[in-house]
Amino acid sequence: MKLKIALQKSGRLYEDSLKLLKECGIELTNGVNKLRNEAFNFPLEVLFLRDDDIPQYVADSVADIGIVGENVVNEKNKSVSVIEKLGFGKCRLSIAVPRTMDYQNIKSLNGKKIATSYPLLVSQFLETNKITAEIHEISGSVEIAPGIGLADVICDLVSSGSTLFLNGLKEADVILHSEAVLISNGELSREKNDLLNKLLFRVQSVKRSKKHKYILLNAPNDKLDVICKLLPGMKSPTVVPLAEEGWSSVHSVVNEDDFWNIIEQLMAHGAQGILVSPIEKMIV
Ligand code: ATP
Ligand code: MG
C-alpha cells in the first residue's frame, strides 16, 4: 500500500516540490520525466499532472494528497483539505490596471471588463466589495488583454511585477496571497493517514530547520547570564568552558526572524567569534 501524491508535471512548482521530497529523505526511482514514479525508500507513488487538475484528482481519490498553489485550490473549490503551507511558490492574485488609468480604489472597477483565469475568485471579490463588472475568462497570457482591447483591466498572479511592468500595467489591489500547500483527500484510510502523518512530520522538520540557524560564540563568563537569556534555543543553550580562563563557548539555535537583532545584542554584551550555520533537519 502506497500513499499517492500529485505534483505539478512542469512549471513553477515542479522543482521545489521535488526538492521538498528530497529534503524529506524521499528518493524517486527512475528518472523524473514520467507521468508516474515511485519512491524506493518511502511508500509513496508520485503522479505528475497539470496543476489545474490536482484538486480534482485529490477530491476524486485518484491521488491521496497533492502539492498545488492556494490560488488553484481556492479557484477550483473542490472538496480537499489544506494540510500544510509549504513556504514556496509565493505570489499574489492581483487586480492590475493600465498605468495610465486613474485608479482611485476598488470602486474604480465598476462597469469595467476584467480578464482573468480566476473567474470564481474574482467574482467573489467583486461580490464582497459590491462591484458590478464583467468577467472575461481566458486561460493564459492575461497580461496582454488590455493592450489588445480585450478587457479594461486584468486579475492575474504577480510575484515580482516585472511582467505587469513590461505590459504597461500596474498592480492596483491584492485579492489573495498564495503559496504552495499540501492538500489531502478528507477520506483517507487509517493506513494512508498514518503515512501522511509520517510525511508531514518530515515536512515540518524541514520547514522548521529553514527558519532557524545554529549559532556558536565565545562569551566572557561574567556575561554568560545575559547572553544565555538572548539564546534560549530549543531547551537551553549548551555552555562549555574554553581553554582560556574566564571564557565559555555557547551553542544554541536562533530564529531567522529576529536573527540580526539578536546578533547585535550579543555583540553589545561582549560575544566574540560568532559562527552561524544552516540546520538541515530540526526535530523538537
Ligand atoms: P500547468 O501547466 O501545470 O497548468 P501553469 O502554467 O498553470 O502550469 P505555473 O505558471 O507553472 O502554472 O504556476 C504554478 C503555480 O506557481 C501558480 O498556480 C502559483 O501558485 C505559483 N506561482 C508563484 N509565482 C507565480 C507567478 N509569478 N506567476 C504565476 N504563478 C506563480
Ligand atoms: Mg495551470
Side-chain angles (χ1 to χ4, degrees), residues 190-207:
R190 171 110 183 261
E191 289 88 344
K192 289 204 171 178
N193 209 40
D194 287 348
L195 285 177
L196 172 58
N197 284 335
K198 221 166 158 176
L199 177 65
L200 201 55
F201 176 79
R202 296 189 188 190
V203 168
Q204 287 166 345
S205 305
V206 169
K207 266 179 68 185

Side-chain angles (χ1 to χ4, degrees), residues 85-199:
K85 296 197 179 211
L86 298 174
F88 59 84
K90 288 193 177 170
C91 57
R92 316 179 281 285
L93 181 65
S94 293
I95 300 282
V97 304
R99 268 206 296 279
T100 49
M101 180 175 159
D102 177 28
Y103 184 91
Q104 300 290 335
N105 53 43
I106 305 167
K107 296 215 164 38
S108 307
L109 294 176
N110 260 318
K112 295 282 187 284
K113 196 168 177 184
I114 309 174
T116 187
S117 309
Y118 293 85
L120 178 69
L121 294 179
V122 175
S123 65
Q124 286 171 349
F125 173 78
L126 295 177
E127 208 176 302
T128 310
N129 290 289
K130 301 194 169 48
I131 307 286
T132 312
E134 187 187 332
I135 297 174
H136 190 95
E137 183 180 354
I138 44 177
S139 59
S141 304
V142 175
E143 65 281 358
I144 64 168
I148 59 173
L150 188 67
D152 304 305
V153 304
I154 66 166
C155 180
D156 203 9
L157 297 175
V158 184
S159 46
S160 69
S162 57
T163 307
L164 294 184
F165 184 79
L166 289 173
N167 286 281
L169 303 171
K170 61 182 178 191
E171 193 171 356
D173 257 302
V174 178
I175 289 194
L176 173 82
H177 287 273
S178 176
E179 65 185 84
V181 288
L182 185 67
I183 56 168
S184 158
N185 178 296
E187 322 235 306
L188 295 187
S189 66
R190 171 110 183 261
E191 289 88 344
K192 289 204 171 178
N193 209 40
D194 287 348
L195 285 177
L196 172 58
N197 284 335
K198 221 166 158 176
L199 177 65

